[in-house]
Amino acid sequence: MNTADGGHYDAAVDALAARAYETAGNRYTRGGRRVLADPRPDLDPFEPDEKGWIGQGLHQLLVAAIAYRVAGATGRATQRAVEGIAASRDFENALTAPGQDACLAEFVADFRTAGGLDGAEAAYDAAAERYASAADDIDSPQALATTPLFEAAAAAIKQVARGQANGEIAIKWEDLHGSDPSRPGDFLAHRTRVKRQRFGGLIEQAVTDDHLAAPRGTTEYGNETHRCPNCGSNDVNWAGTDVLCMRCSTPTDHQ
C-alpha cells in the first residue's frame, strides 16, 4: 500500500491468514477510515487529485464488507457497505478528473454487491453510462486504469477470485478492460460488465467456502526455505507481515 493506513492493512492480511475474518474486517475498516481521512501527508482528501489516492481507503472498506460476510457478520457487512457507498458519493465532490466519477460509481456498485444490498446491477449500469459520458474527455484509458483509484477498484474482485483458483491470478487486468483503447468508454465500462457478471457469485462462493484469500503480493514458486503446514505447498506469497502459502494463504513454516 502507498497510503498512510497505520499498519491496519497488513494486520488485516495477517488476520485473513489466521482465518479470523471478523478481525480482518475490523482492521480493514480501521485502515480504510484512516486512509480516507489522511491518505498522504501532502494530500487533502477533499481536494482534486488526479491519482485518486483515497481509492485505497475505499478498497479497504470494501474488503472489510466481504470479510464480514465470510465471517457470518452480515449486519456489519451491510453497515460497512452503506458506509462505503456514502463515502464514494461524497468524494465525487473532490475527484472531478474525467472518468473519476464513473469509477466512484463503480465502487458504489461494488459496495452494494459486497454488502448483499439491492440495486447492484442498476448501479453497475449507471457506472457504465458515466464511462460512456466521459469518453470524449479521456485521453488515455490505459493510463487512467493504472492510477491508484482505478487499481483500488479492481483489487477486491481479484483477491476474492484467487481464493477460488488455487491462489493463481484468476482475473487479470486485460480481463477487466475492453480490447480497444481507442474507445475509452467501452474500454473502461467493460470493468462494470465483468463485475456485474462475476463479483457477486465469487463473494457467495467465498462465503460458502468460509475462505477469503489474502491479496497476492510478491510470489515465488518452489521456494526451498518455506513450506505450508496446511497443504504442503512451497509456492509462497509475501503479504501482510508474514510469508504465506500462495495456494491457501496459511502462514508457512521456515525450513
Side-chain angles (χ1 to χ4, degrees):
M1 302 295 284
N2 299 302
T3 47
D5 63 43
H8 293 299
Y9 176 86
D10 283 347
V13 175
D14 292 346
L16 292 180
R19 307 296 196 267
Y21 296 118
E22 188 161 7
T23 298
N26 293 343
R27 297 307 290 257
Y28 274 125
T29 296
R30 294 171 66 184
R33 289 171 176 169
R34 184 157 179 165
V35 171
L36 294 183
D38 290 292
R40 291 165 69 89
D42 59 342
L43 181 64
D44 182 335
F46 294 118
E47 294 294 329
D49 171 23
E50 291 186 356
K51 301 286 189 182
W53 286 105
I54 58 94
Q56 294 185 357
L58 295 175
H59 162 69
Q60 291 207 51
L61 293 184
L62 179 59
V63 184
I66 299 169
Y68 287 138
R69 285 277 298 278
V70 175
T74 55
R76 301 198 69 196
T78 298
Q79 292 165 352
R80 203 61 65 242
V82 171
E83 178 181 352
I85 290 168
S88 300
R89 289 174 170 165
D90 188 42
F91 283 112
E92 289 180 15
N93 295 296
L95 300 187
T96 56
Q100 286 185 327
D101 72 321
C103 190
L104 290 170
E106 184 181 326
F107 261 118
V108 168
D110 288 345
F111 278 113
R112 289 192 176 280
T113 302
L117 306 180
D118 293 337
E121 291 189 357
Y124 281 125
D125 290 344
E129 291 173 3
R130 290 197 185 189
Y131 281 125
S133 297
D136 291 343
D137 297 318
I138 297 174
D139 295 328
S140 173
Q142 303 105 309
L144 186 61
T146 59
T147 59
L149 177 66
F150 280 74
E151 289 188 334
I157 188 172
K158 292 180 180 180
Q159 179 177 347
V160 178
R162 71 179 298 269
Q164 297 157 39
N166 199 28
E168 296 289 356
I169 300 174
I171 296 179
K172 301 178 181 179
W173 189 89
E174 55 266 30
D175 296 328
L176 283 173
H177 300 93
S179 59
D180 186 1
S182 69
R183 302 176 62 187
D186 287 341
F187 182 87
L188 294 170
H190 191 71
R191 298 162 59 98
T192 67
R193 300 185 189 106
V194 171
K195 288 181 174 182
R196 177 174 174 171
Q197 293 170 358
R198 300 192 60 186
F199 197 20
L202 289 168
I203 294 172
E204 291 293 342
Q205 189 61 52
V207 172
T208 298
D209 294 342
D210 191 28
H211 175 59
L212 176 60
R216 186 170 172 126
T218 301
T219 59
E220 180 183 355
Y221 292 85
N223 184 286
E224 295 182 356
T225 60
H226 291 272
R227 186 167 297 277
C228 178
N230 180 51
C231 70
S233 173
N234 62 347
D235 299 331
V236 299
N237 176 31
W238 279 269
T241 64
D242 210 340
V243 182
L244 307 180
C245 174
M246 191 176 76
R247 302 304 175 188
C248 66
S249 297
T250 301
T252 61
D253 288 336
H254 190 270
Q255 303 296 302

